[in-house]
Amino acid sequence: MTDEEHLDADGDLGFAPAVVDDTGRGKDARPKAATAAPRRRRGGLRRRASSLAVLIGALTAVGGGYAMIAPSSGADDSIMTSENIEAGRQLFNNSCITCHGANLEGVPGRGPTIVGTGSASVYFQVSTGRMPAPVQGAWELRKIPKFNEQETLQLAAFVQSVGGGPQLPAATENLRAGPEALGEGGELFRLNCASCHGAAGKGAPLSAGKIAPDLNLSTDLQMYTAMQSGPENMPVFANNQITPEQKRAIIGYVQAMKESKDPGGASLGRIGPVAEGLLIWTVGLGVLMVSILWIGARL
Ligand code: HEC
Ligand code: HEC
């Protein structure tokens, strides 16, 4: 599936210049063939040729513009080099093959197939230290990662090359929307994530003894790839459900929430403004009562 997308993208980018070149040559050839024709006709041809040139120019500009923005919304193909894939294969054979099999087909009783999970899922699992899994359970817990960033991307490239699936977003891409999208991000977070991760992203227990973890340590790319791959009990949020732009808004919101140092005083567990008001109300009333009693006692 991703290979097709890859081909499409290449087709779009690769074709634009070729069309311009060919037609450009055709434009030169045409007046030569019409040398015998009367002047008026040649003028018309020239005019038509120049409007054709303008059209081609415009199309090229549009194509060029597309080429410039296309990679920012697309997948990251830059990691898919043969060196990365080969290095990833080595790492996979050393650390993953016993549970996931030589062709990612899985090993009964040890690990599931990871055909089609894609580079996004591998990045999430390996960069959060969940994979390689310990021999006995607890793979759902975040741990100190065993591989560095480069090795993680190599593993991701290898698994992607064998089985396809949802790809990592371009590494250079800004995955965090700006402050103008905080409102939208907050709304999307409350709608899609808060039911499991809690309103403040601090994590919460789920049924059957599972937990939705605290998002405090998650990086932008880990959040993005978590949404793309839906680890364990978490649903997959594909791009047709939550667009890449909306994913950026959610990430911007969560990171801003983590970074804010509770302006206005103590966080009171982030239960919100009601709590602060209530606190002032009760403490204030208490002080008032004590003063009344004190005044009464003095009289
Ligand atoms: C000891 C066995 C074991 C080893 C070693 C191991 N895995 Fe896994 N892996 C698992 C199990 C079990 C799961 C399923 C966990 C779950 O349900 O969340 C899993 C899940 C995954 C997933 C997510 C699959 C999905 O459908 O979302 C990926 C990706 C993955 N492993 C990659 C790797 C990579 C890459 C390595 C090597 C660096 C590795 N694993 C090493 C057992 C293992
Ligand atoms: C149905 C419950 C559920 C919903 C809804 C949900 N998640 Fe999760 N999420 C989980 C569980 C369970 C895990 C742990 C998975 C694992 O460890 O394999 C998780 C893991 C994560 C992680 C990894 C945290 C870490 O350890 O670094 C991130 C990031 C995350 N979720 C973000 C989100 C975002 C953003 C949304 C909303 C778009 C969302 N989740 C919606 C259940 C949920």
Side-chain angles (χ1 to χ4, degrees):
M1 190 182 94
T2 344
D3 284 342
E4 276 168 42
E5 281 166 24
H6 178 41
L7 279 180
D8 279 343
D10 270 4
D12 283 338
L13 308 187
F15 263 109
V19 169
V20 174
D21 277 5
D22 287 343
T23 335
R25 259 178 256 125
K27 184 190 72 182
D28 285 346
R30 213 185 273 178
K32 258 179 239 155
T35 322
R39 264 179 184 271
R40 257 183 70 226
R41 179 132 169 69
R42 277 188 64 180
L45 259 183
R46 204 174 288 155
R47 222 178 300 127
R48 230 175 292 161
S50 68
S51 57
L52 187 67
V54 169
L55 181 67
I56 290 165
L59 284 177
T60 314
V62 170
Y66 175 72
M68 277 169 67
I69 50 168
S72 73
S73 58
D76 186 6
D77 286 329
S78 67
I79 61 162
M80 301 302 288
T81 62
S82 48
E83 294 82 34
N84 273 348
I85 293 170
E86 204 35 57
R89 186 195 311 277
Q90 297 291 327
L91 295 169
F92 187 89
N93 288 349
N94 290 336
S95 302
C96 324
I97 202 168
T98 48
C99 295
H100 293 296
N103 301 308
L104 322 184
E105 73 278 20
V107 175
R110 291 209 188 140
T113 170
I114 52 170
V115 171
T117 56
S119 56
S121 177
V122 174
Y123 182 86
F124 173 80
Q125 298 286 345
V126 177
S127 74
T128 62
R130 287 174 164 84
M131 290 290 143
V135 182
Q136 294 285 338
W139 57 75
E140 71 275 17
L141 297 178
R142 197 186 168 99
K143 291 181 276 300
I144 294 169
K146 180 170 177 211
F147 297 100
N148 65 30
E149 188 79 1
Q150 189 194 4
E151 294 165 331
T152 304
L153 293 175
Q154 289 167 341
L155 278 164
F158 168 67
V159 173
Q160 182 75 40
S161 75
V162 176
Q167 265 180 294
L168 280 167
T172 52
E173 209 175 335
N174 181 9
L175 296 175
R176 193 185 296 191
E180 72 285 350
L182 272 183
E184 187 200 4
E187 200 171 314
L188 288 165
F189 182 83
R190 285 187 289 275
L191 216 60
N192 296 289
C193 324
S195 58
C196 291
H197 291 283
K202 293 278 174 220
L206 302 176
S207 58
K210 310 258 180 190
I211 50 161
D214 191 335
L215 304 181
N216 199 35
L217 294 175
S218 314
T219 65
D220 292 0
L221 190 51
Q222 287 168 354
M223 264 193 247
Y224 199 96
T225 51
M227 288 187 264
Q228 280 180 297
S229 63
E232 216 195 32
N233 281 28
M234 178 166 156
V236 173
F237 295 95
N239 283 351
N240 55 4
Q241 293 163 289
I242 293 187
T243 66
E245 230 16 83
Q246 291 173 322
K247 288 187 172 85
R248 289 187 190 94
I250 293 176
I251 293 169
Y253 174 77
V254 175
Q255 302 294 27
M257 190 159 59
K258 277 155 51 171
E259 280 160 13
S260 81
K261 296 272 184 279
D262 300 316
S267 74
L268 299 172
R270 294 261 164 86
I271 4 182
V274 174
E276 288 181 32
L278 197 68
L279 191 75
I280 288 164
W281 192 233
T282 43
V283 172
L285 261 186
V287 171
L288 207 64
M289 294 288 279
V290 171
S291 344
I292 290 169
L293 287 176
W294 181 68
I295 292 167
R298 275 182 52 136
L299 283 176

